[in-house]
Amino acid sequence: MPSYDDNNIFAKILRGEIPCDKVYEDDYVLAFNDISPQAPVHILVIPKGKYVSIVDFGAKASAEELAGFYAAVSKIAQEKGIDADGFRSIANTGSNGGQEVPHYHLHLLGGRRIGPMVSK
Ligand code: AMP
């Protein structure tokens, strides 16, 4: 497992060093609009703790952090109104997964029908 890089861009957003277009925040997560949206709704949900990936998060986060994270995902999906028609959640992981930012984040993509699950 790669070690956590405190200089990744989402760490800087969490520290308030870089702005973000915030849509939700609580004790466990920060959620903000993706800077390069791939759908009418494209939100990134990130844990406040220092976790590189979904693997790192699942292995090291406390039960409270895990529950808090996914409770927030549900709340955001409902508040943004994407739960009714559906949406896609994606956690790109590592190089094969195309992960660019090494702080765990879940993409929530909705507002239109999202295309094929995996591009060839
Ligand atoms: P991933 O490839 O899963 O690591 O996705 C990283 C995502 O972060 C991409 O969709 C980027 O558009 C997005 N992103 C990068 N920098 C920022 C930023 N400063 N604010 C919001 N989204 C960002």
Side-chain angles (χ1 to χ4, degrees):
M1 189 106 57
S3 58
Y4 187 80
D5 173 10
D6 275 310
N7 287 319
N8 80 74
I9 196 151
F10 294 170
K12 291 178 181 175
I13 286 174
L14 280 170
R15 291 196 296 267
E17 295 167 10
I18 290 178
C20 71
D21 185 10
K22 182 164 80 176
V23 299
Y24 178 83
E25 182 172 18
D26 64 19
D27 288 346
Y28 303 103
V29 312
L30 177 65
F32 48 91
N33 287 315
D34 195 292
I35 205 165
S36 178
Q38 306 297 309
V41 177
H42 186 172
I43 296 167
L44 301 173
V45 187
I46 72 173
K48 289 200 165 169
K50 298 178 179 184
Y51 301 105
V52 173
S53 67
I54 193 171
V55 177
D56 197 23
F57 186 59
K60 296 187 193 150
S62 67
E64 196 178 331
E65 287 175 292
L66 291 163
F69 184 85
Y70 291 104
V73 169
S74 291
K75 198 180 280 186
I76 292 161
Q78 291 174 77
E79 281 181 9
K80 284 288 171 183
I82 52 174
D83 58 319
D85 289 339
F87 62 99
R88 185 162 298 156
S89 52
I90 299 173
N92 295 323
T93 307
S95 57
N96 277 1
Q99 182 177 4
E100 291 168 9
V101 180
H103 181 114
Y104 172 44
H105 50 282
L106 196 62
H107 296 253
L108 306 183
L109 295 144
R112 68 164 167 81
R113 195 169 182 87
I114 309 299
M117 188 166 72
V118 178
S119 57
K120 309 266 181 207

